[in-house]
Amino acid sequence: MPHFCRIVKSGIAAPLLAATLLLLPPAAQADHADWHHGLSLIDKLKYAPDFPHYDYVNPEAPKGGDVKLSTTGTFDTFNPVLDKGQPAVGLALVFDTLLKSADDEISTGYGLLAEGVSYPADISSATFRLRQEAKWADGKPVTPEDVVFSLDRSKELDPLYANYYKHVTSAEKTGERDVTFHFDQKNNRELPNILGQLQILPKHWWEGQGPDGKPRDITKTTLEPVMGSGPYKIAAFSAGASVRYELRDDYWGKSLNVNVGQNNFGSISYTFFGDRDVEFEAFRSGNSDYWLENIAARWATGYDFPAVKDGRVKRESLPNPLRATGVMQALVPNMRRAPFNDERVRQALNFTLDFEEMNRTVFYNAYTRVDSYFWNTDLASSGLPQDAELAILEEVKDKVPPEVFTAPYKNPVGGTPQAGRDNLRRAIALLKEAGFELKGNRMVEAKTGKPFSFEILLSSDTLERVALPYAQNLKKIGIDARVRTVDASQYTNRTRAFDYDMTWIVWAQTLSPGNEQLDYWGSRSATEQGSRNYAGIADPGVDALINKVIFAKDRDTLVAATKALDRVLLAHNYVVPLYYKRDMNIAYWDKFSRPAELPTYAIGFPTIWWSKNASPK
């Protein structure tokens, strides 16, 4: 289950990953509960209740120094739960959650604001006990009322949260420091853990008065620096342009085992850019300290500047963050609009993309084409279904495409003039079956004569290096595809409202898929603005398989059900799959230190790195 946040857009999801199940013995009743210090889905917890710190941190890391970061886009609000406006990057630094994940385990969480958690045998509820020492930045204690407020307001104000926590019917205070969440279904094993990801807000602050003497309103955007219980505070900002977070000396949790060796920088600053190339020039000149490279051509040819040559800028390719991350990066036609609701049209759009040619001419053969919604993990389907996966598909045989039993999914392969021509011929044939025909050099509806024309909506001009060649290929078969790049705010608003013909999306998956699949592909989310069902998928077979994933009784069943879901999603040709890398390319100025061995599943920057200029303890 991905750690919940506003992910999306085009680009990697920040992949912020978390977990989903309590494996320790459940309590029969909350009044006589066995309290557990952590949650895990796949394996037993690595760390015992009294662990001093995560193994991958340096517990003696010095505190202090600054790190300057950058991002593309803008911001107009610090409200972390409102589905309006563009929230500032970095707000997670201000707020704590009930649990905190470990980056050397898959799907685990250990107590942060909560010191313990319990649940009954049927998993019809979960109770979290808050730490007595947990405090807000104003010194007031974190209370069960804050947790109830956070859940209620999050579900009320953002469709993403409403979907994510839709099976959590209510939360109530059940003890001085206890809060109990009630569920509308039993044996959904991930619900306790995804509640651990809930960002907790201070009820008294949001219901109080602002500096202007007027009541605050959580239903509106705000540029008042918000207060949290986390390690950093908002120290300074320029609306839409920059924000600076400072480490709090009085942070209540700085000595907690899940925080030891982390949150080491004295300040973390973000500068916002409207252009990715300008942002890179800021990195080259030393105005930002760290760069995540997402352009293969630049990684191959764009690092010949002096600071790289003399070692002041370091470059690395690291597999860590993607070891447990499945990725589907794709161009996504909006099936809410004709003719994209016709599967033959969608399949034709895939035949028109010549990935192999682009990989050779644009990407220096750096990428692999994605052929699964869980690509690069053991959850990806392949070959023909067998054993448990086949049995699951047989149960929904009347609801899924018959080819899932007879033909493995394969992307069209181009890369040569002959292959390219063959693929375009196949696309034209599919469009003819769907009621289109070529008249002169235009593809038109045979009945109406209406030209086949659509817009590809992008959030960054970086993506144009793929979208423009794709549009040129579409033009070869008479389709008028226009590429439109808009600013971050407009892109966010349009994708929330499903106001596009086709757009570019990245879905990130963990090795513990669950309730988020409803938001990605479930029928209900297809009509809920703000959901991540960008394609508009509403299919009974997909819905049935999502439920089999959510209610899988064990790991083997989960893997089989996920592969079945993957296979059916692919068979419907909902998207035009793109590409990804198995390593993450980073560059940074040589002003940092870090643990000798990074965590298995993360780079850990900036959380566990530290400044060379910081004073030792």
Side-chain angles (χ1 to χ4, degrees):
M1 198 55 242
H3 182 83
F4 192 82
C5 63
R6 292 176 193 275
I7 63 176
V8 218
K9 323 178 181 175
S10 37
I12 71 182
L16 304 142
L17 304 176
T20 53
L21 168 71
L22 228 84
L23 285 183
L24 296 172
Q29 297 180 7
D31 288 345
H32 305 285
D34 292 328
W35 293 95
H36 308 299
H37 71 291
L39 311 176
S40 179
L41 175 60
I42 296 177
D43 296 311
K44 292 183 178 179
L45 290 169
K46 174 180 178 179
Y47 295 99
D50 57 350
F51 74 98
H53 54 76
Y54 291 140
D55 289 347
Y56 51 82
V57 305
N58 173 11
E60 301 301 321
K63 307 287 185 181
D66 304 322
V67 58
K68 298 174 295 183
L69 304 177
S70 65
T71 188
T72 306
T74 186
F75 73 95
D76 58 12
T77 183
F78 292 127
N79 187 331
V81 297
L82 184 63
D83 185 36
K84 293 178 183 177
Q86 191 73 23
V89 172
L91 284 175
L93 298 167
V94 177
F95 298 99
D96 278 334
T97 50
L98 294 170
L99 304 177
K100 185 171 183 175
S101 61
D103 290 335
D104 58 349
E105 297 179 87
I106 297 173
S107 301
T108 61
Y110 294 87
L112 182 51
L113 284 173
E115 66 180 17
V117 58
S118 68
Y119 67 103
D122 62 0
I123 321 179
S124 56
S125 66
T127 300
F128 289 78
R129 177 161 293 170
L130 299 173
R131 295 185 188 273
Q132 189 167 7
E133 66 270 30
K135 299 287 192 296
W136 298 107
D138 63 3
K140 293 184 178 180
V142 179
T143 67
E145 288 84 355
D146 294 319
V147 179
V148 174
F149 173 82
S150 301
L151 176 72
D152 290 346
R153 296 293 82 77
S154 296
K155 291 182 65 176
E156 171 191 346
L157 298 174
D158 193 331
L160 292 183
Y161 288 100
N163 254 331
Y164 200 61
Y165 295 117
K166 74 175 186 178
H167 293 299
V168 184
T169 56
S170 64
E172 63 172 330
K173 179 178 180 178
T174 51
E176 182 182 358
R177 291 184 285 118
D178 294 354
V179 58
T180 298
F181 298 92
H182 299 282
F183 311 144
D184 66 1
Q185 55 185 207
K186 298 178 180 179
N187 301 310
N188 185 333
R189 301 180 303 164
E190 76 170 350
L191 286 176
N193 200 294
I194 64 173
L195 284 165
Q197 303 165 9
L198 181 65
Q199 195 166 246
I200 307 303
L201 311 178
K203 182 175 187 286
H204 70 280
W205 189 89
W206 282 101
E207 294 183 345
Q209 293 182 338
D212 58 1
K214 297 179 180 180
R216 296 187 179 97
D217 188 350
I218 198 171
T219 68
K220 297 180 179 178
T221 61
T222 180
L223 283 173
E224 179 187 355
V226 291
M227 186 188 74
S229 63
Y232 288 84
K233 63 182 179 181
I234 300 171
F237 71 95
S238 174
S242 64
V243 59
R244 184 171 184 266
Y245 300 91
E246 285 186 357
L247 187 65
R248 290 175 45 210
D249 290 334
D250 60 349
Y251 173 46
W252 73 272
K254 61 184 174 182
S255 299
L256 205 62
N257 54 5
V258 294
N259 287 328
V260 170
Q262 305 184 56
N263 306 314
N264 300 319
F265 289 101
S267 72
I268 300 174
S269 301
Y270 288 91
T271 301
F272 294 73
F273 291 86
D275 183 273
R276 181 75 171 165
D277 291 331
V278 175
E279 185 183 354
F280 180 69
E281 289 305 312
F283 169 74
R284 275 174 45 115
S285 63
N287 290 321
S288 64
D289 299 324
Y290 178 89
W291 183 256
L292 175 61
E293 186 56 80
N294 64 349
I295 298 177
R298 183 160 55 209
W299 187 251
T301 65
Y303 287 80
D304 57 353
F305 52 95
V308 174
K309 294 177 180 179
D310 63 24
R312 287 176 294 146
V313 167
K314 307 291 185 183
R315 297 205 306 161
E316 294 185 86
S317 292
L318 300 169
N320 305 49
L322 301 176
R323 285 173 176 159
T325 306
V327 172
M328 170 54 82
Q329 179 165 233
L331 289 166
V332 183
N334 186 354
M335 293 192 297
R336 302 169 186 86
R337 299 180 175 183
F340 305 118
N341 55 341
D342 191 310
E343 185 171 322
R344 294 164 296 187
V345 171
R346 301 194 302 271
Q347 190 176 10
L349 295 175
N350 195 13
F351 271 98
T352 314
L353 180 79
D354 194 335
F355 164 74
E356 288 73 20
E357 181 67 10
M358 282 192 292
N359 200 29
R360 180 181 65 83
T361 59
V362 179
F363 300 139
Y364 292 78
N365 289 315
Y367 292 114
T368 302
R369 193 165 190 198
V370 172
D371 59 1
S372 167
Y373 286 78
F374 301 85
W375 182 80
N376 200 37
T377 73
D378 65 357
L379 299 173
S381 60
S382 62
L384 293 175
Q386 298 180 358
D387 304 326
E389 181 192 354
L390 178 58
I392 288 171
L393 287 169
E394 289 284 359
E395 292 177 16
V396 293
K397 189 172 185 177
D398 60 330
K399 299 177 181 178
V400 301
E403 58 265 30
V404 300
F405 298 98
T406 59
Y409 176 83
K410 291 182 180 180
N411 283 311
V413 177
T416 67
Q418 184 61 51
R421 287 191 294 270
D422 289 346
N423 286 338
L424 292 179
R425 290 191 189 99
R426 178 64 177 138
I428 292 171
L430 286 164
L431 290 168
K432 184 176 181 180
E433 291 177 21
F436 289 86
E437 63 181 3
L438 269 173
K439 281 194 174 181
N441 60 354
R442 293 197 306 172
M443 184 69 67
V444 301
E445 287 183 341
K447 289 184 178 180
T448 66
K450 181 181 178 182
F452 190 171
S453 174
F454 68 93
E455 179 184 271
I456 303 173
L457 179 69
L458 304 178
S459 66
S460 170
D461 55 11
T462 299
L463 308 177
E464 292 178 3
R465 68 193 64 222
V466 172
L468 289 173
Y470 180 51
Q472 287 298 315
N473 241 25
L474 289 165
K475 189 175 181 180
K476 293 177 182 178
I477 59 171
I479 297 176
D480 175 28
R482 305 171 308 281
V483 176
R484 185 178 182 192
T485 302
V486 298
D487 62 41
S489 294
Q490 186 176 352
Y491 181 81
T492 298
N493 290 333
R494 287 188 61 176
T495 52
R496 282 173 179 166
F498 307 128
D499 180 19
Y500 49 85
D501 297 324
M502 174 183 280
T503 190
W504 182 309
I505 294 295
V506 178
W507 288 279
Q509 302 276 6
T510 71
L511 294 184
S512 303
N515 287 277
E516 80 288 349
Q517 305 302 307
L518 291 166
D519 192 44
Y520 291 169
W521 344 107
S523 294
R524 176 177 169 180
S525 64
T527 57
E528 292 179 336
Q529 290 197 1
S531 81
R532 290 166 287 182
N533 190 342
Y534 300 104
I537 299 169
D539 181 83
V542 171
D543 290 340
L545 290 169
I546 290 172
N547 280 330
K548 289 185 179 296
V549 170
I550 292 172
F551 292 101
K553 65 182 186 300
D554 53 39
R555 179 67 186 173
D556 289 342
T557 305
L558 176 68
V559 171
T562 304
K563 288 183 175 181
L565 173 62
D566 181 41
R567 192 180 298 276
V568 170
L569 290 170
L570 291 168
H572 279 296
N573 293 287
Y574 290 130
V575 302
V576 178
L578 292 173
Y579 53 85
Y580 223 74
K581 278 177 63 69
R582 289 182 167 86
D583 291 342
M584 189 169 285
N585 296 328
I586 63 170
Y588 54 92
W589 286 82
D590 189 20
K591 55 187 291 187
F592 310 119
S593 294
R594 71 184 195 201
E597 186 173 343
L598 292 174
T600 308
Y601 303 111
I603 293 172
F605 184 88
T607 310
I608 66 172
W609 296 41
W610 61 92
S611 172
K612 289 183 177 179
N613 296 325
S615 301
K617 290 182 179 179

